[in-house]
Amino acid sequence: MLDGAAVADAILEKSSLLIYVMDLDGRVIRINRKMQEVTGYDTNECPDGEALLESLYPDPGYRRVVRVIHDGWAHNRHVRDQITLVSTAASGVHNVAWSTSRFKSDGDTLGYVAMGVDVTDHKRIDQWARLQSGVLESLRDGVVIADNEGKIIA
């Protein structure tokens, strides 16, 4: 017989998503491997929602905004692809697109799950493309684009 908890554990640990799970009392009951790798935090450093928010969002003003979103879960206000700037234990910053959901058993809400996609590289590529486009648009003379061997490609 298939064990639902074992399946959930396997999914959490193999997922490329950053995932954390909270119970209704605000305790962080699980931070998956990918989120630990990216942020450097686990349930020892972040045993509850408040500690998690303080770690991921050290700026008090920014944390207040994120807390409004976070607290909305209790009132069934969930997010989809909400991008926040997540601070890491190693003083890095990542752009993470979060989606949230409740999880239930027999119709009763047991807690909430937040699933994030690290979009940092996508953001960098987008910024580079916009910069490149701006430079090309500002040129008045013709532009020749060549490959590394000097062959004109555009």
Side-chain angles (χ1 to χ4, degrees), residues 4 15 38 43 59 62 64 67 72 100 107 109-110 121 125-126:
S15 178
V38 170
T43 54
D59 177 82
Y62 193 71
R64 266 192 301 278
R67 183 178 284 115
T100 60
T109 299
L110 300 177
D121 291 337
I125 291 168
D126 184 54

Side-chain angles (χ1 to χ4, degrees), residues 37-89:
E37 288 173 2
V38 170
T39 67
Y41 301 117
D42 61 22
T43 54
N44 291 323
E45 290 94 5
C46 303
D48 56 44
E50 188 60 32
L52 183 69
L53 290 177
E54 286 177 5
S55 297
L56 297 179
Y57 310 104
D59 177 82
Y62 193 71
R63 185 170 57 246
R64 266 192 301 278
V65 173
V66 173
R67 183 178 284 115
V68 169
I69 297 167
H70 208 263
D71 292 349
W73 302 353
H75 304 289
N76 204 27
R77 291 189 305 263
H78 295 281
V79 297
R80 182 178 175 94
D81 299 326
Q82 176 70 52
I83 297 176
T84 64
L85 298 174
V86 171
S87 296
T88 69

